[in-house]
Amino acid sequence: MKKILVLVSALAVMTFCKVVGAANDFAAIKSMLDTAERIVPANAEIVSTEEGAETTLLVYVDEETMTYYDLSFNTATLKLEKMRAQSSNIIGSTMMSKTVGDIEKIVLQEYPEAADLEITTVKDGLNTCYKAAFDMADYRAVLKLNPVTGAIGERVLFYK
């Protein structure tokens, strides 16, 4: 009889732990979704998730602009570590009609509080694009801009 009571107690504790674990998982997922909701556009929809040992990835798409948003969270702390937005804009070109000054104005128009702005050119085969890196209060940003249109094709934010 004593063995049965111990077995039932152990099963009850294991069941309770699974329920608490599921509740913790739900709270973790809700926390990540709430953070994502503040960052991605309202009309972007989640299209996939991937959980690893150290990182959980949420992928959203904004079908109006054809922009994909990859949000990487630290699985243990639930802290957003990185957001990458890739638009359908073609990043590179063989021509360059925008100057570094033009790109600086574009970046500062979108990020007026950008600090330590660095603008360089990046070559990928025959194509060239501008790369702008700068600091904001909550993150370090790296943008890739089209050298003809000045359109931002890729945006990566590294959260502090």
Side-chain angles (χ1 to χ4, degrees), residues 32 72-82 159-160:
M32 289 184 282
S72 298
F73 291 85
N74 179 303
T75 302
T77 65
L78 306 179
K79 179 183 180 292
L80 178 61
E81 294 181 330
K82 182 172 102 173
Y159 287 84
K160 299 174 182 175

Side-chain angles (χ1 to χ4, degrees), residues 127-145:
N127 289 326
T128 302
C129 72
Y130 282 106
K131 177 179 166 183
F134 54 91
D135 291 311
M136 296 292 286
D138 296 335
Y139 53 82
R140 171 100 176 133
V142 178
L143 311 179
K144 289 187 180 175
L145 298 95

Side-chain angles (χ1 to χ4, degrees), residues 1-63:
M1 182 70 162
K2 188 175 180 183
K3 288 183 181 179
I4 293 174
L5 187 57
V6 170
L7 181 61
V8 169
S9 296
L11 288 172
V13 168
M14 288 171 47
T15 302
F16 177 74
C17 289
K18 285 185 181 178
V19 169
V20 169
N24 287 340
D25 288 346
F26 177 76
I29 292 166
K30 179 157 178 18
S31 172
M32 289 184 282
L33 292 174
D34 289 347
T35 299
E37 188 176 285
R38 290 190 302 270
I39 293 171
V40 300
N43 57 327
E45 294 184 15
I46 192 164
V47 292
S48 70
T49 63
E50 183 179 316
E51 185 174 350
E54 296 179 13
T55 304
T56 299
L57 179 68
L58 304 181
V59 179
Y60 287 77
V61 65
D62 179 346
E63 291 191 7

Side-chain angles (χ1 to χ4, degrees), residues 97-158:
S97 59
K98 297 288 184 192
T99 66
V100 170
D102 296 332
I103 297 299
E104 182 176 357
K105 287 177 188 171
I106 291 167
V107 171
L108 291 175
Q109 183 176 7
E110 183 137 353
Y111 297 93
E113 297 179 13
D116 302 323
L117 177 58
E118 301 170 21
I119 299 172
T120 58
T121 56
V122 178
K123 287 190 93 47
D124 181 16
L126 298 175
N127 289 326
T128 302
C129 72
Y130 282 106
K131 177 179 166 183
F134 54 91
D135 291 311
M136 296 292 286
D138 296 335
Y139 53 82
R140 171 100 176 133
V142 178
L143 311 179
K144 289 187 180 175
L145 298 95
N146 183 290
V148 175
T149 65
I152 299 171
E154 182 180 74
R155 178 185 330 249
V156 182
L157 309 179
F158 300 93

